[in-house]
Amino acid sequence: MRTMAWLALLLSGAVWAQPQEYPFPNRFLKTDRALTFCLDKQNPLWPLEEQVARELARLLGRPAKFYIHREAQPNPSAPPIPVTRREFQVLLARYCDVYMGLLGSTTAAFDYPADEQMLATRPYYKSRYLFVSRQFSKLGQVPKTEPIGIVGRSLPYNLILRQQPGRYSLYPVVSSETLAQRLLSGELRHGIIFAPALYGLEKNPEQKGLQVSALEGIPNTDWYVIAAVARDRVTLRDQLDQAIQRLLQSGRMAGLVRQQGLPTAFFTPTSPTEKRPESESNDDNR
């Protein structure tokens, strides 16, 4: 009898505890069919990301909603605050289904941002570092005596210092936003800058007297743009991959880039068959 009473007590305790553990206290619960996209307005190209998100939702036959992760910086010169991987986890667990506009390497040489805590979609376009000058069309033409603006500790900065030490007079600045402003104002005559930072501030830099070309002679200057979902949402990632492929096959991705006033030479839709590099684990579905 005592055994039965103890068993009943255990069962009643389990029933009492269940509402605290189920359903999934750390996961936001959906009450409709909408896809909720995280949107970072500190990304200078957030309007393009919003349009891409709407197209992906349309192709999947679902309404699009948006959760504004961060508003634009009040001070345009201030660098964006980096988002930690833990923050991505929380956002994808509690606030949104998809995070738009992440960067991923086009080679296996660098860590992929959605390798471990998130699942990365296939890339939908790629952007690149640019050489910008009021006099020259190529980086190699700049004399050593003339300063070249560049974000300190950025990938091109480190690669140039390592591979071509002493060849150029690099002038490091604190952020891409500051660099873009100084190039557009003429305070700096030459610079190496990531395309979204320049075109997010000025859609027609040529009208400001700048020559703009892809950065040549430095490796790993092209970067994919991807979206990410939570690690346990493999089906959603596969659905987004299919929608991205349709977006690319139809030519609609190129249309969205042009609609935003961006040159497809520097914001290039990927091939419908192009895939992101394998992650270090080589198994994204674990």
Side-chain angles (χ1 to χ4, degrees):
M1 184 63 117
R2 288 182 180 178
T3 302
M4 292 297 293
W6 178 242
L7 180 60
L9 181 62
L10 284 176
L11 290 174
S12 65
V15 172
W16 175 81
Q18 191 176 22
Q20 297 183 24
E21 301 174 0
Y22 182 88
F24 314 113
N26 293 324
R27 167 79 71 187
F28 72 97
L29 300 180
K30 299 184 69 64
T31 57
D32 57 25
R33 296 184 62 254
L35 270 178
T36 303
F37 296 87
C38 269
L39 204 57
D40 181 3
K41 291 193 175 181
Q42 290 188 23
N43 177 347
L45 296 186
W46 70 264
L48 174 61
E49 297 301 334
E50 180 179 0
Q51 287 300 105
V52 173
R54 292 188 185 279
E55 286 293 319
L56 295 179
R58 181 185 65 80
L59 289 168
L60 292 176
R62 299 173 65 175
K65 289 184 177 180
F66 292 91
Y67 174 80
I68 306 303
H69 166 214
R70 300 189 301 186
E71 293 289 350
Q73 286 274 38
N75 178 7
S77 298
I81 301 171
V83 184
T84 66
R85 288 192 172 193
R86 174 60 181 164
E87 191 173 356
F88 279 128
Q89 284 182 291
V90 172
L91 287 167
L92 290 171
R94 300 184 183 180
Y95 298 102
C96 52
D97 301 295
V98 189
Y99 196 105
M100 299 296 296
L102 295 175
L103 294 178
S105 176
T106 57
T107 74
F110 296 94
D111 188 26
Y112 214 76
D115 273 349
E116 297 170 8
Q117 287 86 355
M118 300 170 283
L119 291 179
T121 67
R122 68 190 308 157
Y124 42 96
Y125 74 96
K126 56 186 172 184
S127 195
R128 49 189 49 88
Y129 279 93
L130 306 173
F131 172 64
V132 181
S133 175
R134 294 186 177 272
Q135 185 177 357
F136 304 109
S137 59
K138 295 182 179 180
L139 174 63
Q141 297 172 335
V142 183
K144 182 180 177 180
T145 55
E146 297 199 27
I148 299 172
I150 190 169
V151 177
R153 297 188 177 182
S154 64
L155 178 63
Y157 178 81
N158 288 322
L159 288 174
I160 292 172
L161 287 182
R162 178 181 300 177
Q163 298 179 357
Q164 304 179 47
R167 169 63 182 85
Y168 300 106
S169 177
L170 299 182
Y171 181 89
V173 298
V174 68
S175 70
S176 295
E177 292 72 21
T178 299
L179 178 56
Q181 290 174 343
R182 293 185 180 183
L183 288 168
L184 290 166
S185 69
E187 184 178 344
L188 286 169
R189 292 178 54 79
H190 321 288
I192 294 171
I193 189 169
F194 196 46
L198 179 64
Y199 283 88
L201 191 61
E202 174 54 61
K203 297 293 178 61
N204 296 294
E206 293 82 2
Q207 293 183 0
K208 302 291 186 178
L210 294 174
Q211 298 183 55
V212 183
S213 59
L215 180 62
E216 298 178 354
I218 307 296
N220 303 112
T221 56
D222 286 3
W223 287 78
Y224 284 136
V225 179
I226 56 141
V229 302
R231 187 78 181 164
D232 59 353
R233 305 196 68 182
V234 178
T235 300
L236 177 58
R237 196 272 299 273
D238 292 344
Q239 291 172 342
L240 289 167
D241 279 352
Q242 294 172 16
I244 290 169
Q245 187 174 29
R246 293 169 61 190
L247 189 68
L248 294 167
Q249 287 174 333
S250 67
R252 179 61 177 151
M253 185 65 226
L256 293 177
V257 171
R258 289 191 292 267
Q259 185 178 319
Q260 292 295 322
L262 302 169
T264 53
F266 306 142
F267 302 88
T268 309
T270 54
S271 164
T273 59
E274 197 164 353
K275 295 183 179 180
R276 58 190 176 80
E278 294 287 349
S279 67
E280 291 179 359
S281 69
N282 234 10
D283 183 5
D284 274 343
N285 294 324
R286 286 193 308 174

